[in-house]
Amino acid sequence: MKKDLRVILSGGGTGGHIYPAIAIAHEIKTRYPEAEILFVGASDRMEMEKVPQAGYKIEGLWISGIQRKLTMSNLMFPFKLLSSLAKSRRIIREFKPDVVIGTGGFASGPLLKVANSNGIPTLIQEQNSFPGITNKLLAKQADKICAAYEEVKRFFPAEKTVITGNPVRQDLLKIDENREKALAHFGLEKDKKVVLVLGGSLGARRINQLVEANLERFKEENIQLIWQTGKLYFEEYKKYNSGLVQTHLFLNEMNLAYGAADVIISRAGAGTVSELSIVGKPVLFVPSPNVAEDHQAKNAMAVVKKNAAMMLKENELDEKFETEFFALMASEEKQEELGENIKKLALPNATARIVDEVEKLIKK
């Protein structure tokens, strides 16, 4: 393998596209410390902050998605696309990559399109069980597609698609060994069940409302809560902080939060579902209804179909949550069954397997 390896990674808009790209970059750097790595993102999205924080250079494209209604942004889309294609041509001409990797999001569209037309090998990584529009459009010309779910094979050319899983944090592989450390970290009692509530870094209004409405029942059942309210809602819910209830704006020590939990209530973003498969604890998914193409419900359903988790949509919570969730809390047998089944879906070596595929492309 050439020592002066040059790689462009493109993906962003959400953490679900950015963090896999950063994990892939880290793995490439581990194997090839001399490699030159450049990220390309959308100039007004979170990747412009997160990628430099991770230690990589990034260039921004003037690009955004198409809204479902007529907006000024939609009217500007053709101009943004032409601008992004022109800048992508310049980036590829000047950087001269050996391979270009896309992890989804609008910025990866123009960049991989230009790479393909210049004969540069491309790989796309699809996190969801139902692919996004950008990756669907890029799949025909991509040299390799690394996916997390068997379900996506019906959307992509079978001969180019390999199931690798999604890149996840490696510190999750040993959470069972950290149980006592985790309980001590959060100041929790060993003889009481622990429920971990996750709504993402910003928070999930409906999940927070659900927890608030059931606080008395949690107390009656002597259940301890680690409740990540998220940035948008912490001020509203921090008043509930007490012996049994811990409210957190954000959880920095996710491995310890997972280690302490007996049962988890969570959104169903692709990266989260992959992490929870490795964690191997019983999960109730409450998918966000506010994401493109209902991705989260489809991700959760792929797990639920294998009897590896429970799912309630937001519009079912009032009617079903109390009955179904507290029945799960009362059944050690059901908790064990879901935990064992979700662990069978784990693909802990995803990042390494994706970079193995990158290496094959370069060797060609």
Side-chain angles (χ1 to χ4, degrees):
M1 181 70 67
K2 55 193 292 188
K3 279 193 178 167
D4 57 342
L5 181 63
R6 301 177 75 77
V7 180
I8 297 181
L9 287 125
S10 183
T14 67
H17 297 312
I18 298 163
Y19 297 122
I22 291 171
I24 293 166
H26 286 341
E27 178 68 16
I28 292 169
K29 270 293 197 186
T30 301
R31 296 188 195 190
Y32 306 100
E34 304 299 311
E36 281 285 321
I37 293 177
L38 175 69
F39 278 72
V40 175
S43 55
D44 59 346
R45 302 303 292 265
M46 64 190 283
E47 55 265 32
M48 301 310 289
E49 179 191 339
K50 299 292 180 191
V51 168
Q53 282 173 1
Y56 297 100
K57 289 182 285 190
I58 186 166
E59 294 241 19
L61 302 181
W62 185 42
I63 191 75
S64 60
I66 299 176
Q67 310 297 314
R68 293 183 185 196
K69 52 184 185 284
L70 189 63
T71 62
M72 181 55 76
S73 178
N74 276 1
L75 295 173
M76 295 299 290
F77 181 77
F79 303 101
K80 290 182 178 183
L81 183 60
L82 289 170
S83 160
S84 296
L85 286 166
K87 189 166 183 183
S88 295
R89 285 188 200 100
R90 179 184 64 73
I91 290 168
I92 281 177
R93 187 173 64 247
E94 291 175 2
F95 190 78
K96 299 183 177 64
D98 297 295
V99 64
V100 175
I101 301 163
T103 59
F106 305 113
S108 63
L111 190 85
L112 269 78
K113 178 89 181 133
V114 170
N116 286 327
S117 62
N118 280 276
I120 295 162
T122 60
L123 177 146
I124 59 177
Q125 196 259 329
E126 176 54 61
Q127 298 96 34
N128 292 290
S129 62
F130 187 89
I133 189 163
T134 306
N135 279 354
K136 270 193 202 161
L137 292 170
L138 292 170
K140 286 191 184 76
Q141 287 186 290
D143 295 281
K144 185 62 70 176
I145 300 153
C146 292
Y149 294 92
E150 289 285 342
E151 282 83 351
V152 301
K153 283 186 170 174
R154 62 198 169 101
F155 300 101
F156 294 145
E159 70 281 2
K160 296 197 285 194
T161 306
V162 56
I163 305 299
T164 56
N166 282 324
V168 293
R169 288 175 276 214
Q170 295 303 294
D171 60 1
L172 303 181
L173 299 175
K174 295 183 178 174
I175 60 152
D176 290 339
E177 297 170 20
N178 290 336
R179 171 100 176 143
E180 287 199 14
K181 181 183 170 186
L183 291 171
H185 176 81
F186 288 102
L188 298 166
E189 295 179 36
K190 287 182 193 175
D191 58 346
K192 291 177 183 166
K193 287 282 187 188
V194 178
V195 171
L196 171 63
V197 182
L198 302 171
S201 54
L202 293 178
R205 178 185 293 280
R206 191 65 188 88
I207 290 179
N208 286 332
Q209 290 171 339
L210 174 78
V211 174
E212 182 182 39
N214 285 275
L215 280 175
E216 280 309 311
R217 181 71 192 270
F218 282 117
K219 283 177 187 167
E220 282 168 27
E221 303 278 349
N222 233 359
I223 291 168
Q224 302 175 106
L225 284 182
I226 302 174
W227 179 9
Q228 184 194 329
T229 61
K231 196 161 124 184
L232 299 179
Y233 305 102
F234 181 69
E235 289 303 316
E236 189 179 342
Y237 293 105
K238 66 181 182 184
K239 63 187 177 194
Y240 294 116
N241 210 36
S242 64
L244 284 173
V245 180
Q246 292 191 14
T247 53
H248 296 265
L249 182 145
F250 188 72
L251 291 163
N252 288 314
E253 308 269 3
M254 275 311 299
N255 58 326
L256 295 177
Y258 286 138
D262 292 292
V263 177
I264 298 164
I265 298 171
S266 176
R267 285 301 201 202
T272 302
V273 174
S274 296
E275 282 192 359
L276 291 171
S277 300
I278 287 170
V279 167
K281 302 277 177 89
V283 182
L284 168 68
F285 287 118
V286 182
S288 170
N290 310 314
V291 292
E293 300 172 89
D294 208 18
H295 273 149
Q296 290 206 5
K298 287 166 180 154
N299 293 340
M301 188 47 73
V303 181
V304 171
K305 279 194 306 197
K306 296 182 169 84
N307 190 29
M310 291 168 56
M311 175 175 83
L312 289 174
K313 293 193 171 183
E314 285 196 352
N315 59 10
E316 300 175 307
L317 290 173
D318 290 339
E319 185 190 342
K320 297 182 176 177
F321 175 78
E322 198 167 350
T323 315
E324 297 195 12
F325 181 76
F326 289 103
L328 171 65
M329 293 304 301
S331 172
E332 293 282 349
E333 192 182 335
K334 185 67 177 169
Q335 289 173 39
E336 204 170 303
E337 180 184 24
L338 292 180
E340 283 176 9
N341 287 348
I342 198 169
K343 200 144 199 165
K344 288 173 191 166
L345 307 178
L347 294 164
N349 302 315
T351 316
R353 291 181 65 193
I354 291 163
V355 177
D356 289 347
E357 295 298 329
V358 173
E359 287 184 331
K360 288 176 196 172
L361 289 182
I362 298 163
K363 281 173 183 165
K364 279 184 181 174

